[in-house]
Amino acid sequence: MFNLIDNTLVFASYGNIFGLSNITISPMDIVLAYLVAILISIIVAFALKIPLLPSKPYRYSFDVSAIYPTPIISMGVFSIFLVLNYTFMYNGLVLAVIIGILSALFVKYLFDFVFPKPLNEDERDEINE
């Protein structure tokens, strides 16, 4: 995993392997943009009234929360843009804000449609009968 992060930092900061990028970004700018994406996604999730933690028991809960999967989705989408060498404006900070907002909206309104919750044992028995 850390090798993937290291490769992302190297490719995004020095241009891609084909030399198509004419803008270089420092690794600190990339880390700052990741932090902005994470913080914005959590703040917008709170504004949309997504709970901080899932319901108990945490281990078997499939409820969405502000801590998981909201920042994970924003980091993943932002990584895709960095690997594609698209940072938009201000070294990726504006893109990080946009992705943070969109990831919180995705988790609030579309996450259950894209990734449905598994059926519990009672619902499985009713379907099998």
Side-chain angles (χ1 to χ4, degrees):
M1 180 176 145
F2 293 111
N3 192 17
L4 177 65
I5 294 170
D6 185 45
N7 287 339
T8 302
L9 289 173
V10 168
F11 286 130
S13 62
Y14 297 113
N16 59 14
I17 57 174
F18 301 114
L20 299 174
S21 177
N22 58 359
I23 299 173
T24 58
I25 299 174
S26 70
M28 278 310 290
D29 289 335
I30 294 173
V31 171
L32 179 66
Y34 271 117
L35 291 176
V36 166
I38 292 168
L39 290 176
I40 293 295
S41 68
I42 292 174
I43 291 169
V44 173
F46 279 140
L48 293 172
K49 300 192 188 304
I50 297 175
L52 177 64
L53 294 172
S55 61
K56 289 186 179 181
Y58 300 131
R59 189 173 194 185
Y60 300 109
S61 177
F62 289 97
D63 298 334
V64 295
S65 65
I67 300 297
Y68 181 81
T70 310
I72 308 304
I73 290 174
S74 67
M75 287 172 38
V77 173
F78 189 67
S79 295
I80 291 170
F81 280 100
L82 284 180
V83 169
L84 294 175
N85 266 338
Y86 184 75
T87 56
F88 197 51
M89 295 169 23
Y90 300 111
N91 293 337
L93 290 177
V94 175
L95 183 65
V97 169
I98 292 169
I99 289 173
I101 292 169
L102 291 178
S103 67
L105 290 171
F106 172 78
V107 167
K108 174 69 176 181
Y109 297 111
L110 296 175
F111 189 79
D112 290 331
F113 294 113
V114 176
F115 305 108
K117 295 178 184 176
L119 299 175
N120 59 20
E121 292 180 11
D122 298 332
E123 292 173 352
R124 282 191 211 139
D125 293 338
E126 292 174 3
I127 292 174
N128 290 334
E129 291 178 357

